[in-house]
PDB file of all heavy atoms in Angstrom:
ATOM      1  N   VAL A  82     113.464 115.035  90.118  1.00  0.00           N
ATOM      2  CA  VAL A  82     112.636 114.634  91.261  1.00  0.00           C
ATOM      3  C   VAL A  82     111.225 114.281  90.793  1.00  0.00           C
ATOM      4  O   VAL A  82     110.636 113.280  91.236  1.00  0.00           O
ATOM      5  CB  VAL A  82     112.604 115.743  92.325  1.00  0.00           C
ATOM      6  CG1 VAL A  82     111.656 115.371  93.468  1.00  0.00           C
ATOM      7  CG2 VAL A  82     114.002 116.020  92.870  1.00  0.00           C
ATOM      8  N   LEU A  83     110.679 115.077  89.892  1.00  0.00           N
ATOM      9  CA  LEU A  83     109.333 114.804  89.377  1.00  0.00           C
ATOM     10  C   LEU A  83     109.303 113.471  88.643  1.00  0.00           C
ATOM     11  O   LEU A  83     108.348 112.683  88.782  1.00  0.00           O
ATOM     12  CB  LEU A  83     108.870 115.932  88.446  1.00  0.00           C
ATOM     13  CG  LEU A  83     108.796 117.338  89.048  1.00  0.00           C
ATOM     14  CD1 LEU A  83     108.212 118.319  88.030  1.00  0.00           C
ATOM     15  CD2 LEU A  83     107.977 117.369  90.325  1.00  0.00           C
ATOM     16  N   HIS A  84     110.324 113.199  87.848  1.00  0.00           N
ATOM     17  CA  HIS A  84     110.373 111.932  87.107  1.00  0.00           C
ATOM     18  C   HIS A  84     110.481 110.758  88.082  1.00  0.00           C
ATOM     19  O   HIS A  84     109.845 109.710  87.883  1.00  0.00           O
ATOM     20  CB  HIS A  84     111.552 111.944  86.141  1.00  0.00           C
ATOM     21  CG  HIS A  84     111.589 110.768  85.222  1.00  0.00           C
ATOM     22  ND1 HIS A  84     110.533 110.408  84.420  1.00  0.00           N
ATOM     23  CD2 HIS A  84     112.579 109.842  84.981  1.00  0.00           C
ATOM     24  CE1 HIS A  84     110.851 109.327  83.713  1.00  0.00           C
ATOM     25  NE2 HIS A  84     112.078 108.964  84.049  1.00  0.00           N
ATOM     26  N   PHE A  85     111.256 110.907  89.117  1.00  0.00           N
ATOM     27  CA  PHE A  85     111.368 109.883  90.166  1.00  0.00           C
ATOM     28  C   PHE A  85     110.001 109.598  90.781  1.00  0.00           C
ATOM     29  O   PHE A  85     109.582 108.435  90.903  1.00  0.00           O
ATOM     30  CB  PHE A  85     112.356 110.386  91.220  1.00  0.00           C
ATOM     31  CG  PHE A  85     112.393 109.589  92.489  1.00  0.00           C
ATOM     32  CD1 PHE A  85     112.777 108.256  92.484  1.00  0.00           C
ATOM     33  CD2 PHE A  85     112.060 110.185  93.702  1.00  0.00           C
ATOM     34  CE1 PHE A  85     112.824 107.523  93.670  1.00  0.00           C
ATOM     35  CE2 PHE A  85     112.109 109.461  94.884  1.00  0.00           C
ATOM     36  CZ  PHE A  85     112.493 108.130  94.869  1.00  0.00           C
ATOM     37  N   LEU A  86     109.267 110.648  91.137  1.00  0.00           N
ATOM     38  CA  LEU A  86     107.960 110.460  91.763  1.00  0.00           C
ATOM     39  C   LEU A  86     106.934 109.906  90.781  1.00  0.00           C
ATOM     40  O   LEU A  86     106.109 109.056  91.146  1.00  0.00           O
ATOM     41  CB  LEU A  86     107.475 111.780  92.365  1.00  0.00           C
ATOM     42  CG  LEU A  86     108.277 112.277  93.576  1.00  0.00           C
ATOM     43  CD1 LEU A  86     107.836 113.688  93.967  1.00  0.00           C
ATOM     44  CD2 LEU A  86     108.115 111.329  94.753  1.00  0.00           C
ATOM     45  N   ASP A  87     106.971 110.359  89.536  1.00  0.00           N
ATOM     46  CA  ASP A  87     106.068 109.808  88.524  1.00  0.00           C
ATOM     47  C   ASP A  87     106.296 108.304  88.364  1.00  0.00           C
ATOM     48  O   ASP A  87     105.344 107.522  88.224  1.00  0.00           O
ATOM     49  CB  ASP A  87     106.282 110.493  87.169  1.00  0.00           C
ATOM     50  CG  ASP A  87     105.645 111.871  87.097  1.00  0.00           C
ATOM     51  OD1 ASP A  87     104.686 112.130  87.853  1.00  0.00           O
ATOM     52  OD2 ASP A  87     106.102 112.688  86.274  1.00  0.00           O
ATOM     53  N   THR A  88     107.562 107.898  88.376  1.00  0.00           N
ATOM     54  CA  THR A  88     107.883 106.480  88.238  1.00  0.00           C
ATOM     55  C   THR A  88     107.357 105.681  89.429  1.00  0.00           C
ATOM     56  O   THR A  88     106.813 104.579  89.269  1.00  0.00           O
ATOM     57  CB  THR A  88     109.408 106.293  88.101  1.00  0.00           C
ATOM     58  OG1 THR A  88     109.891 107.106  87.022  1.00  0.00           O
ATOM     59  CG2 THR A  88     109.764 104.842  87.825  1.00  0.00           C
ATOM     60  N   LEU A  89     107.480 106.246  90.625  1.00  0.00           N
ATOM     61  CA  LEU A  89     106.973 105.566  91.818  1.00  0.00           C
ATOM     62  C   LEU A  89     105.455 105.473  91.809  1.00  0.00           C
ATOM     63  O   LEU A  89     104.885 104.445  92.200  1.00  0.00           O
ATOM     64  CB  LEU A  89     107.443 106.296  93.080  1.00  0.00           C
ATOM     65  CG  LEU A  89     108.905 106.139  93.479  1.00  0.00           C
ATOM     66  CD1 LEU A  89     109.180 106.944  94.737  1.00  0.00           C
ATOM     67  CD2 LEU A  89     109.261 104.672  93.691  1.00  0.00           C
ATOM     68  N   VAL A  90     104.782 106.541  91.379  1.00  0.00           N
ATOM     69  CA  VAL A  90     103.317 106.546  91.369  1.00  0.00           C
ATOM     70  C   VAL A  90     102.782 105.440  90.460  1.00  0.00           C
ATOM     71  O   VAL A  90     101.719 104.862  90.726  1.00  0.00           O
ATOM     72  CB  VAL A  90     102.781 107.929  90.941  1.00  0.00           C
ATOM     73  CG1 VAL A  90     101.290 107.876  90.626  1.00  0.00           C
ATOM     74  CG2 VAL A  90     103.039 108.964  92.037  1.00  0.00           C
ATOM     75  N   GLU A  91     103.512 105.099  89.409  1.00  0.00           N
ATOM     76  CA  GLU A  91     103.063 104.064  88.475  1.00  0.00           C
ATOM     77  C   GLU A  91     103.280 102.649  89.021  1.00  0.00           C
ATOM     78  O   GLU A  91     102.732 101.686  88.476  1.00  0.00           O
ATOM     79  CB  GLU A  91     103.780 104.230  87.132  1.00  0.00           C
ATOM     80  CG  GLU A  91     103.337 105.474  86.373  1.00  0.00           C
ATOM     81  CD  GLU A  91     104.041 105.632  85.043  1.00  0.00           C
ATOM     82  OE1 GLU A  91     104.833 104.717  84.685  1.00  0.00           O
ATOM     83  OE2 GLU A  91     103.815 106.637  84.362  1.00  0.00           O
ATOM     84  N   ARG A  92     104.058 102.520  90.101  1.00  0.00           N
ATOM     85  CA  ARG A  92     104.257 101.201  90.690  1.00  0.00           C
ATOM     86  C   ARG A  92     103.048 100.787  91.527  1.00  0.00           C
ATOM     87  O   ARG A  92     102.300 101.632  92.012  1.00  0.00           O
ATOM     88  CB  ARG A  92     105.523 101.183  91.557  1.00  0.00           C
ATOM     89  CG  ARG A  92     106.799 101.149  90.748  1.00  0.00           C
ATOM     90  CD  ARG A  92     108.043 101.172  91.622  1.00  0.00           C
ATOM     91  NE  ARG A  92     108.089 100.093  92.606  1.00  0.00           N
ATOM     92  CZ  ARG A  92     109.138  99.874  93.406  1.00  0.00           C
ATOM     93  NH1 ARG A  92     110.220 100.633  93.295  1.00  0.00           N
ATOM     94  NH2 ARG A  92     109.103  98.894  94.289  1.00  0.00           N
ATOM     95  N   ASP A  93     102.893  99.500  91.728  1.00  0.00           N
ATOM     96  CA  ASP A  93     101.792  98.976  92.541  1.00  0.00           C
ATOM     97  C   ASP A  93     102.284  98.059  93.657  1.00  0.00           C
ATOM     98  O   ASP A  93     101.476  97.378  94.299  1.00  0.00           O
ATOM     99  CB  ASP A  93     100.809  98.183  91.653  1.00  0.00           C
ATOM    100  CG  ASP A  93     100.078  99.083  90.667  1.00  0.00           C
ATOM    101  OD1 ASP A  93      99.612 100.165  91.077  1.00  0.00           O
ATOM    102  OD2 ASP A  93      99.991  98.699  89.486  1.00  0.00           O
ATOM    103  N   ASP A  94     103.587  98.064  93.906  1.00  0.00           N
ATOM    104  CA  ASP A  94     104.137  97.076  94.833  1.00  0.00           C
ATOM    105  C   ASP A  94     104.812  97.712  96.052  1.00  0.00           C
ATOM    106  O   ASP A  94     105.622  97.070  96.729  1.00  0.00           O
ATOM    107  CB  ASP A  94     105.146  96.189  94.101  1.00  0.00           C
ATOM    108  CG  ASP A  94     106.301  96.981  93.481  1.00  0.00           C
ATOM    109  OD1 ASP A  94     106.169  98.230  93.354  1.00  0.00           O
ATOM    110  OD2 ASP A  94     107.327  96.372  93.112  1.00  0.00           O
ATOM    111  N   LEU A  95     104.477  98.969  96.353  1.00  0.00           N
ATOM    112  CA  LEU A  95     105.022  99.607  97.547  1.00  0.00           C
ATOM    113  C   LEU A  95     104.080  99.357  98.725  1.00  0.00           C
ATOM    114  O   LEU A  95     103.059  98.700  98.603  1.00  0.00           O
ATOM    115  CB  LEU A  95     105.223 101.100  97.303  1.00  0.00           C
ATOM    116  CG  LEU A  95     106.110 101.485  96.108  1.00  0.00           C
ATOM    117  CD1 LEU A  95     106.208 102.997  95.959  1.00  0.00           C
ATOM    118  CD2 LEU A  95     107.507 100.881  96.247  1.00  0.00           C
ATOM    119  N   SER A  96     104.433  99.888  99.873  1.00  0.00           N
ATOM    120  CA  SER A  96     103.603  99.763 101.069  1.00  0.00           C
ATOM    121  C   SER A  96     103.563 101.094 101.791  1.00  0.00           C
ATOM    122  O   SER A  96     104.410 101.976 101.566  1.00  0.00           O
ATOM    123  CB  SER A  96     104.163  98.695 102.008  1.00  0.00           C
ATOM    124  OG  SER A  96     105.423  99.117 102.526  1.00  0.00           O
ATOM    125  N   ALA A  97     102.598 101.254 102.682  1.00  0.00           N
ATOM    126  CA  ALA A  97     102.496 102.497 103.455  1.00  0.00           C
ATOM    127  C   ALA A  97     103.763 102.716 104.269  1.00  0.00           C
ATOM    128  O   ALA A  97     104.272 103.845 104.382  1.00  0.00           O
ATOM    129  CB  ALA A  97     101.263 102.446 104.363  1.00  0.00           C
ATOM    130  N   MET A  98     104.300 101.649 104.853  1.00  0.00           N
ATOM    131  CA  MET A  98     105.509 101.784 105.665  1.00  0.00           C
ATOM    132  C   MET A  98     106.690 102.236 104.819  1.00  0.00           C
ATOM    133  O   MET A  98     107.485 103.097 105.235  1.00  0.00           O
ATOM    134  CB  MET A  98     105.831 100.453 106.348  1.00  0.00           C
ATOM    135  CG  MET A  98     107.035 100.515 107.279  1.00  0.00           C
ATOM    136  SD  MET A  98     107.331  98.934 108.108  1.00  0.00           S
ATOM    137  CE  MET A  98     105.830  98.805 109.088  1.00  0.00           C
ATOM    138  N   LEU A  99     106.797 101.679 103.606  1.00  0.00           N
ATOM    139  CA  LEU A  99     107.920 102.029 102.737  1.00  0.00           C
ATOM    140  C   LEU A  99     107.800 103.476 102.263  1.00  0.00           C
ATOM    141  O   LEU A  99     108.800 104.214 102.221  1.00  0.00           O
ATOM    142  CB  LEU A  99     107.961 101.076 101.546  1.00  0.00           C
ATOM    143  CG  LEU A  99     109.270 101.001 100.747  1.00  0.00           C
ATOM    144  CD1 LEU A  99     110.436 100.625 101.653  1.00  0.00           C
ATOM    145  CD2 LEU A  99     109.134 100.009  99.610  1.00  0.00           C
ATOM    146  N   VAL A 100     106.596 103.923 101.904  1.00  0.00           N
ATOM    147  CA  VAL A 100     106.402 105.308 101.473  1.00  0.00           C
ATOM    148  C   VAL A 100     106.666 106.254 102.631  1.00  0.00           C
ATOM    149  O   VAL A 100     107.270 107.325 102.457  1.00  0.00           O
ATOM    150  CB  VAL A 100     104.976 105.496 100.907  1.00  0.00           C
ATOM    151  CG1 VAL A 100     104.702 106.968 100.629  1.00  0.00           C
ATOM    152  CG2 VAL A 100     104.797 104.678  99.631  1.00  0.00           C
ATOM    153  N   SER A 101     106.255 105.884 103.834  1.00  0.00           N
ATOM    154  CA  SER A 101     106.537 106.714 105.006  1.00  0.00           C
ATOM    155  C   SER A 101     108.038 106.829 105.241  1.00  0.00           C
ATOM    156  O   SER A 101     108.564 107.906 105.546  1.00  0.00           O
ATOM    157  CB  SER A 101     105.850 106.114 106.230  1.00  0.00           C
ATOM    158  OG  SER A 101     106.085 106.914 107.369  1.00  0.00           O
ATOM    159  N   ARG A 102     108.740 105.707 105.087  1.00  0.00           N
ATOM    160  CA  ARG A 102     110.200 105.733 105.231  1.00  0.00           C
ATOM    161  C   ARG A 102     110.828 106.614 104.152  1.00  0.00           C
ATOM    162  O   ARG A 102     111.809 107.316 104.402  1.00  0.00           O
ATOM    163  CB  ARG A 102     110.746 104.308 105.154  1.00  0.00           C
ATOM    164  CG  ARG A 102     112.235 104.219 105.396  1.00  0.00           C
ATOM    165  CD  ARG A 102     112.729 102.789 105.316  1.00  0.00           C
ATOM    166  NE  ARG A 102     112.160 101.963 106.380  1.00  0.00           N
ATOM    167  CZ  ARG A 102     112.467 100.666 106.556  1.00  0.00           C
ATOM    168  NH1 ARG A 102     113.327 100.067 105.739  1.00  0.00           N
ATOM    169  NH2 ARG A 102     111.911  99.972 107.531  1.00  0.00           N
ATOM    170  N   LEU A 103     110.258 106.571 102.950  1.00  0.00           N
ATOM    171  CA  LEU A 103     110.745 107.419 101.857  1.00  0.00           C
ATOM    172  C   LEU A 103     110.636 108.889 102.233  1.00  0.00           C
ATOM    173  O   LEU A 103     111.555 109.686 101.995  1.00  0.00           O
ATOM    174  CB  LEU A 103     109.934 107.125 100.595  1.00  0.00           C
ATOM    175  CG  LEU A 103     110.340 107.825  99.304  1.00  0.00           C
ATOM    176  CD1 LEU A 103     111.560 107.148  98.696  1.00  0.00           C
ATOM    177  CD2 LEU A 103     109.189 107.797  98.298  1.00  0.00           C
ATOM    178  N   GLY A 104     109.493 109.274 102.835  1.00  0.00           N
ATOM    179  CA  GLY A 104     109.309 110.661 103.244  1.00  0.00           C
ATOM    180  C   GLY A 104     110.304 111.091 104.299  1.00  0.00           C
ATOM    181  O   GLY A 104     110.777 112.237 104.302  1.00  0.00           O
ATOM    182  N   SER A 105     110.645 110.194 105.210  1.00  0.00           N
ATOM    183  CA  SER A 105     111.628 110.513 106.249  1.00  0.00           C
ATOM    184  C   SER A 105     113.028 110.649 105.667  1.00  0.00           C
ATOM    185  O   SER A 105     113.805 111.524 106.067  1.00  0.00           O
ATOM    186  CB  SER A 105     111.620 109.426 107.328  1.00  0.00           C
ATOM    187  OG  SER A 105     110.357 109.343 107.948  1.00  0.00           O
ATOM    188  N   LYS A 106     113.346 109.792 104.696  1.00  0.00           N
ATOM    189  CA  LYS A 106     114.673 109.823 104.073  1.00  0.00           C
ATOM    190  C   LYS A 106     114.860 111.075 103.229  1.00  0.00           C
ATOM    191  O   LYS A 106     115.951 111.646 103.181  1.00  0.00           O
ATOM    192  CB  LYS A 106     114.840 108.575 103.206  1.00  0.00           C
ATOM    193  CG  LYS A 106     116.039 108.575 102.275  1.00  0.00           C
ATOM    194  CD  LYS A 106     117.353 108.457 103.010  1.00  0.00           C
ATOM    195  CE  LYS A 106     118.519 108.334 102.018  1.00  0.00           C
ATOM    196  NZ  LYS A 106     119.825 108.281 102.699  1.00  0.00           N
ATOM    197  N   TYR A 107     113.766 111.515 102.567  1.00  0.00           N
ATOM    198  CA  TYR A 107     113.875 112.646 101.640  1.00  0.00           C
ATOM    199  C   TYR A 107     112.923 113.770 102.062  1.00  0.00           C
ATOM    200  O   TYR A 107     111.878 113.978 101.433  1.00  0.00           O
ATOM    201  CB  TYR A 107     113.560 112.199 100.213  1.00  0.00           C
ATOM    202  CG  TYR A 107     114.471 111.113  99.694  1.00  0.00           C
ATOM    203  CD1 TYR A 107     113.963 109.857  99.375  1.00  0.00           C
ATOM    204  CD2 TYR A 107     115.837 111.341  99.530  1.00  0.00           C
ATOM    205  CE1 TYR A 107     114.792 108.852  98.898  1.00  0.00           C
ATOM    206  CE2 TYR A 107     116.676 110.348  99.056  1.00  0.00           C
ATOM    207  CZ  TYR A 107     116.152 109.106  98.742  1.00  0.00           C
ATOM    208  OH  TYR A 107     116.994 108.118  98.278  1.00  0.00           O
ATOM    209  N   PRO A 108     113.276 114.527 103.100  1.00  0.00           N
ATOM    210  CA  PRO A 108     112.402 115.637 103.510  1.00  0.00           C
ATOM    211  C   PRO A 108     112.283 116.713 102.442  1.00  0.00           C
ATOM    212  O   PRO A 108     111.307 117.473 102.442  1.00  0.00           O
ATOM    213  CB  PRO A 108     113.085 116.163 104.781  1.00  0.00           C
ATOM    214  CG  PRO A 108     114.510 115.707 104.674  1.00  0.00           C
ATOM    215  CD  PRO A 108     114.452 114.395 103.967  1.00  0.00           C
ATOM    216  N   GLN A 109     113.261 116.782 101.516  1.00  0.00           N
ATOM    217  CA  GLN A 109     113.148 117.758 100.429  1.00  0.00           C
ATOM    218  C   GLN A 109     111.990 117.416  99.508  1.00  0.00           C
ATOM    219  O   GLN A 109     111.546 118.255  98.719  1.00  0.00           O
ATOM    220  CB  GLN A 109     114.456 117.869  99.638  1.00  0.00           C
ATOM    221  CG  GLN A 109     114.918 116.601  98.938  1.00  0.00           C
ATOM    222  CD  GLN A 109     115.869 115.775  99.763  1.00  0.00           C
ATOM    223  OE1 GLN A 109     115.515 115.349 100.856  1.00  0.00           O
ATOM    224  NE2 GLN A 109     117.084 115.558  99.251  1.00  0.00           N
ATOM    225  N   ILE A 110     111.466 116.199  99.603  1.00  0.00           N
ATOM    226  CA  ILE A 110     110.244 115.813  98.892  1.00  0.00           C
ATOM    227  C   ILE A 110     109.032 115.966  99.800  1.00  0.00           C
ATOM    228  O   ILE A 110     108.081 116.666  99.477  1.00  0.00           O
ATOM    229  CB  ILE A 110     110.348 114.364  98.366  1.00  0.00           C
ATOM    230  CG1 ILE A 110     111.361 114.289  97.222  1.00  0.00           C
ATOM    231  CG2 ILE A 110     108.984 113.866  97.902  1.00  0.00           C
ATOM    232  CD1 ILE A 110     111.573 112.881  96.685  1.00  0.00           C
ATOM    233  N   SER A 111     109.059 115.316 100.952  1.00  0.00           N
ATOM    234  CA  SER A 111     107.873 115.285 101.812  1.00  0.00           C
ATOM    235  C   SER A 111     107.541 116.644 102.408  1.00  0.00           C
ATOM    236  O   SER A 111     106.382 116.915 102.728  1.00  0.00           O
ATOM    237  CB  SER A 111     108.064 114.257 102.926  1.00  0.00           C
ATOM    238  OG  SER A 111     109.235 114.518 103.668  1.00  0.00           O
ATOM    239  N   ASN A 112     108.541 117.535 102.541  1.00  0.00           N
ATOM    240  CA  ASN A 112     108.301 118.873 103.089  1.00  0.00           C
ATOM    241  C   ASN A 112     108.440 119.969 102.043  1.00  0.00           C
ATOM    242  O   ASN A 112     108.532 121.143 102.387  1.00  0.00           O
ATOM    243  CB  ASN A 112     109.273 119.161 104.247  1.00  0.00           C
ATOM    244  CG  ASN A 112     109.093 118.212 105.407  1.00  0.00           C
ATOM    245  OD1 ASN A 112     107.980 117.746 105.678  1.00  0.00           O
ATOM    246  ND2 ASN A 112     110.178 117.905 106.118  1.00  0.00           N
ATOM    247  N   SER A 113     108.458 119.585 100.779  1.00  0.00           N
ATOM    248  CA  SER A 113     108.698 120.566  99.713  1.00  0.00           C
ATOM    249  C   SER A 113     107.571 121.589  99.624  1.00  0.00           C
ATOM    250  O   SER A 113     106.397 121.272  99.855  1.00  0.00           O
ATOM    251  CB  SER A 113     108.833 119.844  98.366  1.00  0.00           C
ATOM    252  OG  SER A 113     108.994 120.766  97.311  1.00  0.00           O
ATOM    253  N   LYS A 114     107.938 122.813  99.265  1.00  0.00           N
ATOM    254  CA  LYS A 114     106.959 123.861  98.973  1.00  0.00           C
ATOM    255  C   LYS A 114     106.706 123.981  97.478  1.00  0.00           C
ATOM    256  O   LYS A 114     105.880 124.790  97.052  1.00  0.00           O
ATOM    257  CB  LYS A 114     107.453 125.210  99.521  1.00  0.00           C
ATOM    258  CG  LYS A 114     107.712 125.220 101.022  1.00  0.00           C
ATOM    259  CD  LYS A 114     106.470 124.822 101.817  1.00  0.00           C
ATOM    260  CE  LYS A 114     106.742 124.837 103.317  1.00  0.00           C
ATOM    261  NZ  LYS A 114     105.581 124.323 104.083  1.00  0.00           N
ATOM    262  N   ASN A 115     107.423 123.197  96.679  1.00  0.00           N
ATOM    263  CA  ASN A 115     107.231 123.194  95.233  1.00  0.00           C
ATOM    264  C   ASN A 115     105.954 122.423  94.916  1.00  0.00           C
ATOM    265  O   ASN A 115     105.825 121.238  95.234  1.00  0.00           O
ATOM    266  CB  ASN A 115     108.443 122.528  94.567  1.00  0.00           C
ATOM    267  CG  ASN A 115     108.369 122.537  93.055  1.00  0.00           C
ATOM    268  OD1 ASN A 115     107.429 122.037  92.468  1.00  0.00           O
ATOM    269  ND2 ASN A 115     109.401 123.097  92.425  1.00  0.00           N
ATOM    270  N   CYS A 116     104.989 123.093  94.290  1.00  0.00           N
ATOM    271  CA  CYS A 116     103.667 122.493  94.113  1.00  0.00           C
ATOM    272  C   CYS A 116     103.682 121.278  93.188  1.00  0.00           C
ATOM    273  O   CYS A 116     102.858 120.362  93.348  1.00  0.00           O
ATOM    274  CB  CYS A 116     102.686 123.538  93.586  1.00  0.00           C
ATOM    275  SG  CYS A 116     102.194 124.744  94.839  1.00  0.00           S
ATOM    276  N   GLU A 117     104.581 121.238  92.204  1.00  0.00           N
ATOM    277  CA  GLU A 117     104.656 120.067  91.338  1.00  0.00           C
ATOM    278  C   GLU A 117     105.122 118.847  92.119  1.00  0.00           C
ATOM    279  O   GLU A 117     104.622 117.736  91.915  1.00  0.00           O
ATOM    280  CB  GLU A 117     105.596 120.340  90.156  1.00  0.00           C
ATOM    281  CG  GLU A 117     105.092 121.367  89.174  1.00  0.00           C
ATOM    282  CD  GLU A 117     103.929 120.848  88.320  1.00  0.00           C
ATOM    283  OE1 GLU A 117     103.810 119.625  88.156  1.00  0.00           O
ATOM    284  OE2 GLU A 117     103.154 121.685  87.831  1.00  0.00           O
ATOM    285  N   ILE A 118     106.079 119.047  93.024  1.00  0.00           N
ATOM    286  CA  ILE A 118     106.521 117.945  93.883  1.00  0.00           C
ATOM    287  C   ILE A 118     105.404 117.561  94.856  1.00  0.00           C
ATOM    288  O   ILE A 118     105.122 116.375  95.064  1.00  0.00           O
ATOM    289  CB  ILE A 118     107.800 118.347  94.646  1.00  0.00           C
ATOM    290  CG1 ILE A 118     108.979 118.516  93.664  1.00  0.00           C
ATOM    291  CG2 ILE A 118     108.141 117.307  95.719  1.00  0.00           C
ATOM    292  CD1 ILE A 118     110.253 119.024  94.312  1.00  0.00           C
ATOM    293  N   ARG A 119     104.744 118.562  95.432  1.00  0.00           N
ATOM    294  CA  ARG A 119     103.683 118.271  96.405  1.00  0.00           C
ATOM    295  C   ARG A 119     102.546 117.482  95.768  1.00  0.00           C
ATOM    296  O   ARG A 119     101.982 116.583  96.397  1.00  0.00           O
ATOM    297  CB  ARG A 119     103.149 119.575  97.009  1.00  0.00           C
ATOM    298  CG  ARG A 119     104.148 120.282  97.892  1.00  0.00           C
ATOM    299  CD  ARG A 119     103.618 121.592  98.438  1.00  0.00           C
ATOM    300  NE  ARG A 119     102.688 121.395  99.544  1.00  0.00           N
ATOM    301  CZ  ARG A 119     102.145 122.402 100.226  1.00  0.00           C
ATOM    302  NH1 ARG A 119     102.423 123.654  99.903  1.00  0.00           N
ATOM    303  NH2 ARG A 119     101.307 122.153 101.222  1.00  0.00           N
TER     304      ARG A 119
END
């Protein structure tokens, strides 16, 4: 999961709407209590 997020952070072609949709699709990321994921 961390590698997935690191890869996304390095991109420059996403949008606020797409990232918001990502959070809805993966609540285990957007609602995680794991501080490295947060």
Side-chain angles (χ1 to χ4, degrees):
V82 176
L83 301 185
H84 187 54
F85 169 63
L86 292 172
D87 283 336
T88 306
L89 286 179
V90 167
E91 290 180 4
R92 285 178 56 175
D93 293 315
D94 58 344
L95 304 179
S96 66
M98 183 178 296
L99 197 57
V100 172
S101 181
R102 184 180 295 182
L103 184 78
S105 299
K106 168 70 175 177
Y107 300 116
Q109 62 267 59
I110 290 177
S111 56
N112 298 328
S113 177
K114 301 303 180 186
N115 183 303
C116 287
E117 292 288 336
I118 293 175
R119 292 178 77 177

